[in-house]
Amino acid sequence: MKIAFRSDIGRIRLVNEDRGFAELTDTGIAVAIVADGMGGHQAGDVASQLAVDTFREAMQGTSPELSVDERKMLIRQAILQANEVVFDMASRNEHYHNMGTTVVAALLQPDNGVIGHIGDSRAYKWRDGTLTQLTVDHTLVNELVKSGQISVEEAARHPRRNVLTRALGTDVHVEVDVKGLSWQPGDLLLLCSDGLTNMVSEEEMTETILQEELDLDGKADKLVELALLAGGDDNITVVLLHHAEDTEQEE
């Protein structure tokens, strides 16, 4: 397994409220998470950091013997625990009132994996030349698209496209979307914040992944560079996990 992680403040924002983490554990499981924080008084970076730290701690010592259903339960519980931590902090400190974060996380073993997410940070899987979005955005515009009120093209330009219908830490109870995925040699998983997906098309992502002269590190750099060239309106965070024979972590 190869892993690359990049985060950039972008060209407009004064603070990077994105946080991420990815590693291959001693037990051979790949653990990764991307969180995109929100809230005034720099509370967004507090929310995303708390979420990542809580998730990371909950994943320590994860057994490779767990079934897919057990790992689904584990990732759901870890994200719900993060929700509790962020909500509690927001409730006790007026500066952090209403802070929250998106989250997209993955647990990968050699033959399968699980994804958990809340919000509009996304997971994509690359296999045999095809890039497939695995997550569904929890946003107002996505609800409007699903109900047929606006088109996908209109959603991309909608003035309220960043309004979330679900976030981590803003309510006592939150629903986590969890799904399993097949995972085989050659596959690549992309976790990212909307600072990438709002700026870079799936076609451009595909072209970047196809560039054989770039290693995984270079592909992560290129994705961030494309978002910056397109305006860099938001923080940009990218995690790439490649099901490769050799094991390498790139920072």
Side-chain angles (χ1 to χ4, degrees):
M1 186 89 69
K2 289 185 177 180
I3 298 174
F5 166 52
R6 294 288 181 277
S7 191
D8 193 284
I9 193 171
R11 298 195 183 281
I12 308 295
R13 300 296 177 92
L14 300 176
V15 177
N16 190 348
E17 295 187 324
D18 284 4
R19 294 291 185 272
F21 158 77
E23 74 170 6
L24 188 66
T25 68
D26 294 338
T27 56
I29 296 175
V31 180
I33 182 172
V34 168
D36 178 359
M38 59 190 189
H41 301 285
Q42 297 185 11
D45 54 340
V46 174
S48 56
Q49 189 67 60
L50 278 172
V52 168
D53 289 347
T54 305
F55 180 84
R56 185 176 184 173
E57 193 174 320
M59 289 299 114
Q60 287 182 351
T62 300
S63 170
E65 305 302 319
L66 295 179
S67 68
V68 173
D69 284 342
E70 287 171 328
R71 276 181 285 128
K72 283 182 180 179
M73 188 180 299
L74 179 65
I75 203 168
R76 178 179 279 110
Q77 288 174 339
I79 293 172
L80 289 175
Q81 188 177 338
N83 184 76
E84 194 175 308
V85 170
V86 174
F87 182 79
D88 181 62
M89 174 72 82
S91 302
R92 290 188 289 109
N93 188 319
E94 64 179 29
H95 288 299
Y96 300 151
H97 181 63
N98 278 342
M99 74 174 175
T101 183
T102 70
V103 63
V104 59
L107 286 179
L108 299 173
Q109 286 187 199
D111 56 349
N112 56 50
V114 294
I115 301 284
H117 96 286
I118 300 172
D120 61 355
S121 291
R122 293 180 182 175
Y124 291 88
K125 185 172 77 171
W126 166 269
R127 174 181 288 175
D128 298 334
T130 301
L131 188 68
T132 305
Q133 185 177 331
L134 302 177
T135 51
V136 176
D137 293 347
H138 301 138
T139 58
L140 175 64
V141 294
N142 197 44
E143 292 299 321
L144 294 174
V145 170
K146 286 196 291 185
S147 64
Q149 295 181 59
I150 62 173
S151 67
V152 173
E153 292 73 26
E154 287 171 327
R157 302 185 303 272
H158 199 282
R160 302 191 69 194
R161 63 183 176 276
N162 294 324
V163 176
L164 299 175
T165 54
R166 203 189 303 178
L168 183 150
T170 55
D171 294 287
V172 179
H173 302 292
V174 68
E175 184 182 350
V176 186
D177 284 3
V178 177
K179 69 185 297 179
L181 70 147
S182 63
W183 183 239
Q184 63 188 36
D187 287 355
L188 185 143
L189 189 72
L190 163 64
L191 305 183
C192 59
S193 61
D194 68 344
L196 179 74
T197 54
N198 284 342
M199 295 283 113
V200 181
S201 68
E202 290 186 10
E203 289 76 17
E204 290 171 310
M205 293 182 204
T206 297
E207 288 170 7
T208 301
I209 293 169
L210 280 170
Q211 290 184 22
E212 293 182 2
E213 71 276 14
L214 296 177
D215 60 9
L216 200 66
D217 223 15
K219 289 174 183 178
D221 285 333
K222 179 68 174 179
L223 289 170
V224 171
E225 180 188 334
L226 286 170
L228 291 171
L229 287 171
D233 291 354
D234 201 352
N235 310 143
I236 310 143
T237 298
V238 171
V239 171
L240 290 175
L241 302 106
H242 184 211
H243 197 323
E245 292 303 313
D246 51 338
T247 300
E248 186 181 336
Q249 179 146 346
E250 307 180 15
E251 284 297 340

